[in-house]
Amino acid sequence: LTVIAGPAPLRLLWLTLPDPDAMLSIACASRLSLLTPLGDRAAVVVRCPGAAPAKVDRVLDAIADALAASAPPGCSDRVRLGFRIDRLPNRDDVARLTSYSLGVLHLAGHVANDAGIAAWRRAAADAGRSNVVVTVGVGDGHRSGCGMPSLADNLLASPVFLSRSKPDVAPIGLDGLRSLAAHHPGVLALGGLGPLDLQACLDADACGLAVLSSAWQAPIDAWVDACRRLQALAPREAIK
């Protein structure tokens, strides 16, 4: 077994809602402060498909300000800010990577593979962001491990349960999650999940959760408990 040198996999990833205006109204420090105990093992990834660049930047600004406000004074181990990207690096994307000190890149579409990951890692390293965490999505077709990206730090396995964002995709269930986790140590469960599903996903060998609507709508007390349990977990060594 060879230890992979790179950022530690995330334990918890919150995806923003696709509507930028909705996110601007709920991107508050009080909710994001729930992630603070996890430090850089937690992340908020901005995804605004089809939105104008200026509006995307407004959401990034709002989330960045809220994360900064929720961090303890002098803290260097902060919750990561990320961005969903579905293209190869260009000048504007790299500028955004550096200006927001992005700590996560969630790759989608035709760059959600090892070639795309390698291209973005090179761009991030050239921009002084070599410690960026790269995540991609996987699903039922990857159960055998065939075609699964090997260079990603985290894989988002979805949908575990029936999901409003993917209503026409059959859930993989906890058995499917376990199959995917057998091939990568950084699998995060995604799809139809909330903080109360954490233990079931950990029991299926996921290393944590990736969530969308429940990040912003689930009761705060439930997230407090989930974050405490994730914080107590021993780090999983990345192997290949």
Side-chain angles (χ1 to χ4, degrees):
L1 298 179
T2 303
V3 177
I4 298 173
L10 299 170
R11 287 288 192 179
L12 184 59
L13 187 152
W14 283 9
L15 292 156
T16 64
L17 300 174
D19 180 0
D21 292 323
M23 282 312 309
L24 289 170
S25 68
I26 60 177
C28 57
S30 59
R31 181 162 283 262
L32 292 175
S33 66
L34 300 174
L35 303 176
T36 300
L38 291 171
D40 65 1
R41 304 300 294 276
V44 179
V45 171
V46 172
R47 50 184 295 275
C48 299
K55 185 155 281 190
V56 173
D57 286 338
R58 286 182 61 201
V59 176
L60 281 166
D61 284 333
I63 299 290
D65 289 346
L67 288 174
S70 65
C75 176
S76 59
D77 184 21
R78 292 189 176 187
V79 175
R80 293 174 179 263
L81 175 63
F83 184 65
R84 178 190 181 275
I85 195 82
D86 60 3
R87 54 186 175 266
L88 290 170
N90 61 38
R91 184 175 61 185
D92 292 339
D93 292 330
V94 174
R96 182 177 277 144
L97 178 70
T98 55
S99 62
Y100 287 101
S101 300
L102 295 181
V104 178
L105 291 171
H106 177 60
L107 303 187
H110 74 282
V111 294
N113 50 51
D114 282 335
I117 295 169
W120 267 105
R121 284 205 188 282
R122 288 192 297 270
D126 290 345
R129 304 296 302 166
S130 58
N131 202 41
V132 68
V133 169
V134 179
T135 69
V136 300
V138 293
D140 191 62
H142 297 96
R143 283 199 195 206
S144 67
C146 183
M148 180 180 285
S150 61
L151 299 181
D153 301 297
N154 282 100
L155 301 177
L156 278 55
S158 73
V160 176
F161 300 136
L162 190 63
S163 169
R164 283 181 291 177
S165 62
K166 295 183 177 180
D168 299 324
V169 180
I172 61 173
L174 294 172
D175 287 340
L177 177 61
R178 185 177 287 106
S179 296
L180 292 167
H183 302 290
H184 194 286
V187 169
L188 297 173
L190 170 66
L193 299 164
L196 299 180
D197 299 299
L198 172 62
Q199 192 58 54
C201 293
L202 294 176
D203 291 343
D205 295 330
C207 73
L209 293 179
V211 293
L212 201 160
S213 58
S214 68
W216 315 101
Q217 297 167 3
I220 284 180
D221 288 348
W223 276 120
V224 168
D225 180 63
C227 289
R228 283 175 178 167
R229 282 189 285 162
L230 286 170
Q231 185 184 16
L233 293 175
R236 292 183 63 175
E237 189 175 44
I239 58 174
K240 66 177 179 180

